[in-house]
Amino acid sequence: MKNKIKVGIVGYGNLGQGVEKAIAHHRDLELVAVFTRRPREIKTLSKAVSIDDIFTYQNAIDVLLLCGSSAGDLPHQGPLYAKAFNTVDSFDIHAEIPSYYAVMDNAAKSGNSLSIISIGWDPGLFSLARLLFAGILPQGESYTFWGKGVSQGHSTAVRQVPGVKQAVQYTVPVRETVKQIRQGLTPKLSPQEQHERICFVVPEPDADPKDIENSIKSMPGYFAGYNTTVHFISETEFAHEHTGMPHGGFVIRTGSTGTADKQQMEFRLSLESNPEFTASVLIAYARACHMLHKTGERGARTIFDVPLGCLSPLSNSDLRKSLL
Amino acid sequence: MKNKIKVGIVGYGNLGQGVEKAIAHHRDLELVAVFTRRPREIKTLSKAVSIDDIFTYQNAIDVLLLCGSSAGDLPHQGPLYAKAFNTVDSFDIHAEIPSYYAVMDNAAKSGNSLSIISIGWDPGLFSLARLLFAGILPQGESYTFWGKGVSQGHSTAVRQVPGVKQAVQYTVPVRETVKQIRQGLTPKLSPQEQHERICFVVPEPDADPKDIENSIKSMPGYFAGYNTTVHFISETEFAHEHTGMPHGGFVIRTGSTGTADKQQMEFRLSLESNPEFTASVLIAYARACHMLHKTGERGARTIFDVPLGCLSPLSNSDLRKSLL
């Protein structure tokens, strides 16, 4: 395929590595380089380039995928690179999205570029589902369930408990609640009624499992109030069973129309690799970013602003023929 | 709410009636009139107006919802009204979508208006899901399952069998196949492996049920080759249990990314009333049609071209704040 869309990756954590792996499946895109602070130390599959040289790539890259963290990297990197490149990022601090949007909109406009922010699955595809469902069924109730999947924040919290050597925390939808919701009931639910928490812990040899379990279960803001289960396992079992990054969840809405009370819409994800899937969403929106920039769009956009037709490499007329 | 979006309905079958019922839940839209050939005979809930007077409503209506049939009404009505009104329709003859699009694009451009065609759930939301899923997971397999739900075409076919007084046909996904697909297998499936067909028939008093059953099961193009079950029931049971119009189904895709083989996306609908739900989709796209027309868009569009943000009555900045 000629004229592939040229993509660069900034940041080489789980997400950047996910993009590098997943992009091979998208034949109309081509990875030009991974930009990193440590091009010599980090072992990338593709070309690694010092982040200091990134601006020399302005004419060689169509879209930059910003794969840094929302707290530490994007507030600085986003506006810096949006002034010179089209960008797609996964900024996910809900409360700060409006201010981040404003900053990115200014930067991208000043750079004559287009920046699509907060892409991924939540925020991202799940946001899109919530919007779509409420637009069609304004009278109704939406629920978002996450899991079964690893919560990084909760896993980190468990690892900080004294006596814990290694740990992972899975967030799991409460089965009985899910059953009710799928039946079309629309109860008011507390967070604790929606999800339970399951921890797998490798204790230090001299630690008391009872103390660890109590510390975890009573941790305010993370576990207190939740149905929490703590399993103690060996390092070997941990290495074999708990180092993947599966995730998923679903958005569901039951609403009423004229006479029917139970019109139900659901969008569900079940993911073997959360980072590779999130990366794949970013890649599809890189395609859209390039396409919309070519038609003259400038400034910041979110997932709500992008016609889904832009996510496909097919032309509009082929889409109408083959997919509608 | 001031400045409600003013909507007219053309055609008063199941879909037109569904719009009339469902629109009450959309507080930013207002139904101005139902346009019909027989304004005196048909009992509408709202104002009925002769279709002959429709062009006098050009300044009173923002978007016209064309609720006629794809075969009999839309090929004529679509371009006729697109020259004078913004329109949304549910044209669903797959093979003819490209030519219908071309005609509507010309008509709407000549009328300085905007027409969104082929809206509903399939074609429509299911098309959108197929596009979204393939854009994100290009390497994978998509499946569309319909039901459990009433197929109008198959029900009509059964009613034409000699000795059948009344009948309905439900299309039902094959449970074992669905189980395999949800587990992440990606087999090649024949239509018969995906769906089975269940008929409820009220026989004429003098008819032989065996003859009816054989005629149905051997009907080429409709039932031959399918796992078909025929139940004979009384008129009373038929009236109580089989006059609703439930439907639903799901689009599911399992795809691979770099190392993960089972990344699964699913969009599911479970509907008590198919016409009222389809009507609700049309209503949400009427909102989008009005919004996009105000920003200057002209000509024909499909569900692939419309940013989902336009389906919400909220402003872009409120959407970013509350739904992202």
Side-chain angles (χ1 to χ4, degrees):
Chain A
M1 192 181 289
K2 54 180 182 175
N3 291 330
K4 288 194 180 196
I5 301 168
K6 292 174 186 63
V7 167
I9 294 172
V10 178
Y12 200 64
N14 286 332
L15 184 58
Q17 292 172 43
V19 171
E20 192 181 41
K21 285 178 197 147
I23 202 164
H25 293 309
H26 297 255
R27 305 233 174 101
D28 57 324
L29 282 89
E30 179 188 345
L31 180 58
V32 174
V34 173
F35 296 96
T36 160
R37 288 184 201 96
R38 294 165 294 162
R40 278 159 205 278
E41 298 153 52
I42 282 174
K43 244 190 133 49
T44 58
L45 303 171
S46 46
K47 185 175 163 190
V49 172
S50 167
I51 191 79
D52 299 331
D53 297 331
I54 192 168
F55 292 103
T56 66
Y57 279 77
Q58 251 187 290
N59 295 321
I61 282 179
D62 296 312
V63 185
L64 213 50
L65 296 183
L66 306 181
C67 299
S69 80
S70 297
D73 299 315
L74 294 179
H76 162 71
Q77 290 181 347
L80 178 65
Y81 300 134
K83 280 181 193 148
F85 296 92
N86 295 325
T87 66
V88 175
D89 69 51
S90 63
F91 187 85
D92 67 356
I93 306 174
H94 283 264
E96 292 171 21
I97 286 175
S99 58
Y100 183 69
Y101 175 89
V103 168
M104 290 298 280
D105 194 45
N106 277 332
K109 278 177 181 154
S110 81
N112 207 27
S113 57
L114 181 67
S115 290
I116 308 184
I117 69 162
S118 300
I119 295 299
W121 60 273
D122 200 358
L125 301 180
F126 274 17
S127 321
L128 209 56
R130 288 187 287 261
L131 167 71
L132 176 70
F133 297 178
I136 291 170
L137 299 173
Q139 183 153 322
E141 210 59 65
S142 290
Y143 300 88
T144 302
F145 287 87
W146 296 278
K148 182 190 173 182
V150 175
S151 160
Q152 299 298 346
H154 286 79
S155 297
T156 303
V158 175
R159 283 193 290 268
Q160 283 159 358
V161 169
V164 171
K165 188 168 185 189
Q166 189 50 276
V168 66
Q169 191 264 191
Y170 297 94
T171 303
V172 184
V174 175
R175 188 188 289 258
E176 188 50 40
T177 306
V178 171
K179 203 175 145 194
Q180 282 178 24
I181 301 296
R182 287 235 170 88
Q183 281 168 351
L185 303 182
T186 52
K188 296 276 166 223
L189 295 173
S190 68
Q192 291 79 3
E193 287 169 304
Q194 279 196 257
H195 295 96
E196 56 183 303
R197 306 199 170 280
I198 300 179
C199 308
F200 290 86
V201 172
V202 181
E204 299 283 2
D206 55 347
D208 179 349
K210 265 284 152 242
D211 286 350
I212 293 177
E213 186 167 343
N214 289 337
S215 300
I216 293 173
K217 289 187 171 178
S218 59
M219 203 185 293
Y222 284 89
F223 294 96
Y226 282 89
N227 182 359
T228 302
T229 310
V230 181
H231 298 286
F232 291 95
I233 59 174
S234 69
E235 254 185 302
T236 316
E237 185 178 344
F238 190 90
H240 273 99
E241 305 289 333
H242 300 288
T243 51
M245 279 175 282
H247 218 310
F250 56 98
V251 177
I252 189 166
R253 184 179 187 86
T254 302
S256 48
T257 51
T259 59
D261 284 335
K262 289 182 184 161
Q263 310 272 36
Q264 194 168 83
M265 311 178 72
E266 179 174 344
F267 173 63
R268 187 180 65 80
L269 293 174
S270 170
L271 310 173
E272 268 188 7
S273 165
N274 182 4
E276 285 179 19
F277 182 79
T278 304
S280 301
V281 182
L282 258 71
I283 292 167
Y285 278 89
R287 180 181 292 127
C289 186
H290 178 63
M291 212 175 290
L292 291 172
H293 183 259
K294 279 205 298 185
T295 68
E297 299 211 19
R298 300 293 183 266
R301 298 289 185 278
T302 73
I303 201 160
F304 298 147
D305 306 311
V306 176
L308 297 196
C310 302
L311 301 181
S312 172
L314 298 178
S315 71
N316 282 348
S317 102
D318 282 344
L319 284 177
R320 288 191 292 271
K321 223 179 290 176
S322 63
L323 272 178
L324 201 65
Chain B
M1 191 183 290
K2 54 180 181 175
N3 291 330
K4 288 195 178 195
I5 300 168
K6 291 175 188 60
V7 166
I9 294 172
V10 178
Y12 200 65
N14 285 333
L15 184 58
Q17 292 172 44
V19 171
E20 193 181 40
K21 285 179 196 147
I23 202 165
H25 293 309
H26 297 255
R27 306 234 173 101
D28 57 325
L29 282 90
E30 178 188 344
L31 179 59
V32 174
V34 174
F35 297 95
T36 161
R37 288 185 201 95
R38 295 167 291 163
R40 279 158 207 277
E41 298 153 52
I42 281 173
K43 245 189 132 49
T44 58
L45 303 171
S46 45
K47 186 175 163 189
V49 172
S50 167
I51 191 81
D52 299 332
D53 296 331
I54 192 168
F55 292 103
T56 66
Y57 279 77
Q58 252 187 289
N59 294 322
I61 282 178
D62 296 312
V63 185
L64 213 50
L65 296 183
L66 306 181
C67 299
S69 81
S70 296
D73 300 315
L74 294 178
H76 162 71
Q77 290 180 347
L80 179 64
Y81 300 134
K83 280 180 192 148
F85 296 92
N86 294 325
T87 66
V88 176
D89 70 51
S90 63
F91 188 85
D92 66 357
I93 305 173
H94 282 265
E96 292 171 21
I97 286 174
S99 59
Y100 183 69
Y101 175 88
V103 168
M104 290 298 282
D105 195 44
N106 278 332
K109 278 177 180 153
S110 80
N112 207 26
S113 56
L114 182 66
S115 290
I116 308 183
I117 69 162
S118 299
I119 295 299
W121 60 274
D122 200 358
L125 301 180
F126 275 17
S127 322
L128 207 57
R130 288 187 286 261
L131 166 71
L132 176 71
F133 296 178
I136 292 169
L137 299 173
Q139 182 152 324
E141 210 59 64
S142 291
Y143 300 89
T144 302
F145 287 88
W146 297 276
K148 181 191 173 182
V150 175
S151 160
Q152 299 298 346
H154 287 78
S155 297
T156 303
V158 174
R159 284 193 290 267
Q160 283 160 0
V161 169
V164 171
K165 188 168 186 189
Q166 188 52 278
V168 65
Q169 192 265 189
Y170 297 94
T171 303
V172 183
V174 175
R175 189 188 290 259
E176 189 49 40
T177 306
V178 171
K179 202 174 146 194
Q180 282 179 23
I181 302 295
R182 287 234 170 88
Q183 281 168 351
L185 303 181
T186 53
K188 296 276 165 222
L189 294 174
S190 68
Q192 292 79 2
E193 288 169 304
Q194 278 197 256
H195 295 96
E196 56 184 303
R197 307 200 170 279
I198 300 180
C199 309
F200 290 86
V201 172
V202 181
E204 299 283 2
D206 55 346
D208 179 348
K210 265 283 153 241
D211 286 350
I212 293 177
E213 186 167 343
N214 289 338
S215 300
I216 293 172
K217 288 187 171 177
S218 60
M219 204 185 292
Y222 285 89
F223 294 96
Y226 282 89
N227 182 0
T228 302
T229 310
V230 181
H231 297 287
F232 292 95
I233 59 173
S234 69
E235 255 184 301
T236 316
E237 185 178 344
F238 190 90
H240 273 98
E241 305 290 334
H242 300 287
T243 51
M245 279 175 280
H247 217 311
F250 57 97
V251 177
I252 188 165
R253 184 178 186 87
T254 303
S256 47
T257 52
T259 59
D261 284 334
K262 289 184 185 160
Q263 309 272 36
Q264 194 169 82
M265 311 177 73
E266 178 174 344
F267 173 63
R268 188 180 64 80
L269 293 175
S270 171
L271 310 174
E272 269 188 6
S273 166
N274 182 3
E276 285 179 20
F277 182 79
T278 304
S280 301
V281 182
L282 259 71
I283 292 167
Y285 278 88
R287 180 182 291 127
C289 186
H290 178 63
M291 213 176 288
L292 291 172
H293 183 259
K294 279 205 297 184
T295 68
E297 298 212 19
R298 301 293 184 267
R301 298 290 185 278
T302 73
I303 201 159
F304 298 147
D305 306 310
V306 177
L308 297 196
C310 302
L311 301 182
S312 171
L314 298 178
S315 71
N316 282 349
S317 103
D318 281 344
L319 284 176
R320 288 192 293 271
K321 223 179 289 176
S322 64
L323 272 178
L324 201 64

